[in-house]
Amino acid sequence: MINIAVFISGRGSNFKSLHDNIKSGLISGCRIAAVFSNNPDAKGLDYAKENDMDTIVIPSKNRTDKAGYDREILERLSPYNIDLICLAGYMRMVTNELIKAFPNRIINIHPSLLPSFSGLNAQEQAINKGVKISGCTLHFVDEGMDTGPIIAQAAVPVMENDTADTLSARILQEEHRIYSQGVRLFCEGRLRVESGRVVITGGKADG
Ligand code: GRF
């Protein structure tokens, strides 16, 4: 059984969608063992509590010791024997402390077709640039900002009258879809990173 920790900072719709797809059996062989948030007011925490899930909160406001903060997370996670960390709207850069402890075992979702529009407000960046197609990217996390090996992407059209909000809503549907797809592949042991690229293997026998 693969133990997942989901990291959230806000609404938590990607977290809920993952949870739904694990419950329904679309993703098997894993469970969400803990939900972590740096924001005590994250809406997604309410959902976690309503569903009797273990939550860990370490407020990050006014915390400048980034590495120390991540070491504290590791300590708090240790009883859960976590295999995979899913960043789902987690609005904080993770440091090497976490990355070294979970090499190619931290996944993030970003609302653009990386490497375009990394960083904050990706949907607004896409609209301001006038691109006709945007989308989302699921990737492993490395030390860079939204630079790690790409697991999956989905394209979404940008309409003439889109605002950042309408585009975000269209992209979000695809985020939910590819996040579960990627976690399913991870849990099936089908993701391998070779020379900075993700190779999807045929199944456990290949791996
Ligand atoms: C998503 O658009 C995700 O790509 C970005 O933050 C948003 C989080 O949404 N990193 P939610 O909290 O999962 O609803």
Side-chain angles (χ1 to χ4, degrees):
M1 180 64 70
I2 288 181
N3 286 322
I4 298 176
V6 182
F7 283 27
I8 59 171
S9 297
R11 177 179 57 186
S13 73
N14 277 286
F15 152 51
K16 287 180 214 165
S17 148
L18 267 180
H19 184 236
D20 282 345
N21 288 333
I22 292 170
K23 269 196 314 194
S24 76
L26 188 78
I27 312 171
S28 57
C30 66
R31 66 186 193 107
I32 298 176
V35 179
F36 172 77
S37 183
N38 65 316
N39 172 15
D41 300 322
K43 283 274 166 293
L45 286 172
D46 298 340
Y47 174 85
K49 287 173 195 154
E50 282 156 20
N51 286 275
D52 293 323
M53 302 166 93
D54 279 11
T55 57
I56 303 168
V57 177
I58 308 178
S60 62
K61 205 170 170 204
N62 304 324
R63 287 288 297 257
T64 47
D65 55 331
K66 293 197 165 84
Y69 182 83
D70 278 359
R71 276 196 296 274
E72 216 174 305
I73 296 178
L74 286 172
E75 265 174 46
R76 298 284 298 276
L77 284 182
S78 73
Y80 294 97
N81 295 316
I82 297 299
D83 302 292
L84 173 68
I85 293 177
C86 291
L87 306 184
Y90 182 63
M91 302 305 284
R92 194 175 159 90
M93 285 277 286
V94 298
T95 67
N96 256 323
E97 298 290 326
L98 268 173
I99 295 166
K100 273 187 307 191
F102 290 91
N104 292 328
R105 290 195 291 138
I106 307 176
I107 292 178
N108 181 45
I109 187 84
H110 182 78
S112 76
L113 291 175
L114 291 172
S116 291
F117 311 130
S118 61
L120 291 175
N121 305 320
Q123 302 93 331
E124 198 179 331
Q125 292 185 54
I127 292 206
N128 290 344
K129 193 69 189 173
V131 296
K132 307 303 177 205
I133 295 174
S134 190
C136 51
T137 303
L138 189 73
H139 64 94
F140 282 117
V141 172
D142 65 9
E143 310 77 39
M145 161 91 83
D146 303 323
T147 53
I150 292 171
I151 299 165
Q153 291 187 302
V156 165
V158 182
M159 307 303 188
E160 201 67 48
N161 55 356
D162 259 337
T163 61
D165 284 346
T166 58
L167 178 60
S168 299
R170 198 174 308 117
I171 291 174
L172 194 64
Q173 294 179 20
E174 291 300 300
E175 292 185 30
H176 294 169
R177 188 177 65 76
I178 69 170
Y179 215 138
S180 286
Q181 193 180 55
V183 169
R184 186 167 56 80
L185 289 169
F186 183 95
C187 293
E188 289 172 357
R190 295 175 59 190
L191 298 179
R192 203 163 57 210
V193 179
E194 282 174 13
S195 312
R197 297 174 49 177
V198 173
V199 177
I200 299 174
T201 60
K204 276 187 181 139
D206 276 11

